[in-house]
Amino acid sequence: MKNSLLLIAVFMSCFVLSCNNRGKNKALKKEIEGVQLNPSLELVWETDSLLTTCESVLYDKSSQVIYVSNINNGPWEKDGNGFISTINTKGEITNLKWIEGVSAPKGLGISNGKLFVNDIDDVVEIDIASRKITNTYTVENNPQLNDITVDTNGYVYASGSNSNTIYQIKDEVLNVFAADSLKRLNGLLHTEEGIYYLDSGTQQFGIYNTTTNKFQKLTDGIGHGDGIVKLENGDFITSSWKGEIYHINSKDWTKTLLLDTKEQEINAADIDFIHETQMLLVPTFFHNTVRAYKLNY
């Protein structure tokens, strides 16, 4: 009888303790859910410094190849010595000069097996399988083409930093898609909501509404905006060319500085993000490397 009473007492104690723990866990979960977790960046790897004036990176999920555009001299000079490199997800350069024959390649985008590259006043189309330039789309009046984004239909959009214009390539024809009185349009990211953009002249992050055909500022003070990536939770990470990385909260458009390498004179140009590993890829321009940072919450 005593043993039975003892077992009952132990059982009841365990039951009460379990209930209390569940209550504490629920309370802790609610507490965590109600708090904005602070993201941070942790340097994981850096390539060899052979990537000369590297401006843009693009991760191709299908092949797990990272493409890197290398200006290799003046950013707006028609010198023909620019090139595209490939690296792997460990930071190893697999082909330093995968493509040559461009001048100052910048933004990159992939559509229907083609790699599109902004090259001053040309959008260059490269067939990935054959590694050959298959088409060139020329824009007049010195647009200073910069970033590229691609929509779900495979249409390509390019920003003109000097013309403050978004150009669209659709059905192998390039046309003006949108223009506004911005000061230095650069970063582009096409989404279901519209085209998010960075304007380094006004240091603003905003969205171009493709329904109303209007540019709308969402936040500012983000430096010389260069690249944009969107996280799975809807937030954004943007880069500032002089060496800053910002996290932007999509709920209230507040920003947090994640990285600042200005004092080391390490730039942060046109970024990309590998969602599967939570890895942010940062081309360092004059520092001549690509860095990979793990995003932690």
Side-chain angles (χ1 to χ4, degrees):
M1 182 68 178
K2 288 182 180 179
N3 290 338
S4 298
L5 291 173
L6 181 60
L7 288 172
I8 292 171
V10 171
F11 173 78
M12 290 302 295
S13 297
C14 292
F15 178 77
V16 171
L17 182 62
S18 175
C19 289
N20 287 339
N21 286 338
R22 282 201 297 268
K24 288 179 182 178
N25 288 338
K26 287 181 180 178
L28 180 61
K29 184 178 179 182
K30 287 182 179 179
E31 183 180 348
I32 292 174
E33 287 175 347
V35 174
Q36 174 63 39
L37 299 178
N38 294 322
S40 63
L41 293 176
E42 172 190 358
L43 181 62
V44 177
W45 53 254
E46 183 173 17
T47 65
D48 196 349
S49 56
L50 299 174
L51 302 170
T52 318
T53 328
C54 48
E55 201 279 339
S56 180
V57 290
L58 179 67
Y59 174 65
D60 182 4
K61 182 179 178 180
S62 64
S63 62
Q64 297 188 338
V65 168
I66 301 168
Y67 295 97
V68 186
S69 61
N70 298 266
I71 294 172
N72 194 22
N73 210 333
W76 306 110
E77 294 180 15
K78 281 273 193 178
D79 49 25
N81 69 353
F83 56 94
I84 308 296
S85 302
T86 59
I87 63 177
N88 61 26
T89 55
K90 297 178 182 178
E92 300 164 335
I93 299 173
T94 53
N95 193 331
L96 181 62
K97 295 189 175 180
W98 181 77
I99 284 288
E100 296 183 85
V102 288
S103 290
K106 297 180 181 67
L108 305 167
I110 293 176
S111 174
N112 298 317
K114 306 292 177 63
L115 178 69
F116 289 82
V117 184
N118 275 337
D119 190 18
I120 305 178
D121 54 5
D122 292 327
V123 182
V124 179
E125 176 188 294
I126 302 167
D127 182 76
I128 293 174
S130 64
R131 289 172 50 191
K132 292 183 178 179
I133 295 175
T134 51
N135 207 342
T136 300
Y137 303 86
T138 301
V139 182
E140 303 294 334
N141 301 318
N142 189 28
Q144 294 190 353
L145 299 174
N146 216 321
D147 201 14
I148 280 183
T149 188
V150 179
D151 68 16
T152 54
N153 295 313
Y155 303 153
V156 176
Y157 301 83
S159 64
S161 290
N162 195 46
S163 61
N164 292 307
T165 297
I166 299 175
Y167 304 92
Q168 182 194 61
I169 298 176
K170 177 181 177 181
D171 301 328
E172 298 187 350
V173 177
L174 184 146
N175 288 304
V176 170
F177 185 76
D180 194 52
S181 56
L182 298 170
K183 290 188 176 179
R184 190 71 182 165
L185 179 64
N186 190 346
L188 297 179
L189 179 65
H190 193 286
T191 68
E192 292 180 357
E193 313 95 82
I195 301 177
Y196 289 93
Y197 69 89
L198 291 169
D199 183 66
S200 63
T202 58
Q203 299 195 9
Q204 70 175 253
F205 170 71
I207 186 169
Y208 174 74
N209 189 312
T210 54
T211 301
T212 63
N213 299 322
K214 292 183 178 180
F215 289 83
Q216 177 190 355
K217 182 181 78 172
L218 298 173
T219 190
D220 55 16
I222 46 80
H224 296 266
D226 206 319
I228 311 168
V229 296
K230 188 175 184 180
L231 305 177
E232 290 180 346
N233 66 357
D235 292 347
F236 296 85
I237 292 179
T238 65
S239 61
S240 169
W241 180 83
K242 287 193 174 182
E244 297 163 310
I245 301 291
Y246 288 92
H247 172 270
I248 298 177
N249 189 318
S250 59
K251 296 181 177 63
D252 56 11
W253 304 115
T254 55
K255 60 186 181 297
T256 303
L257 182 63
L258 297 181
L259 183 71
D260 187 347
T261 55
K262 295 195 302 298
E263 287 190 4
Q264 297 100 305
E265 297 184 348
I266 299 175
N267 302 98
D270 191 3
I271 56 177
D272 202 4
F273 192 73
I274 303 177
H275 292 276
E276 294 76 16
T277 56
Q278 296 290 289
M279 204 71 69
L280 181 70
L281 305 173
V282 182
T284 62
F285 209 76
F286 290 127
H287 192 61
N288 299 321
T289 66
V290 170
R291 289 183 164 188
Y293 294 89
K294 178 70 178 296
L295 178 65
N296 297 312
Y297 279 94

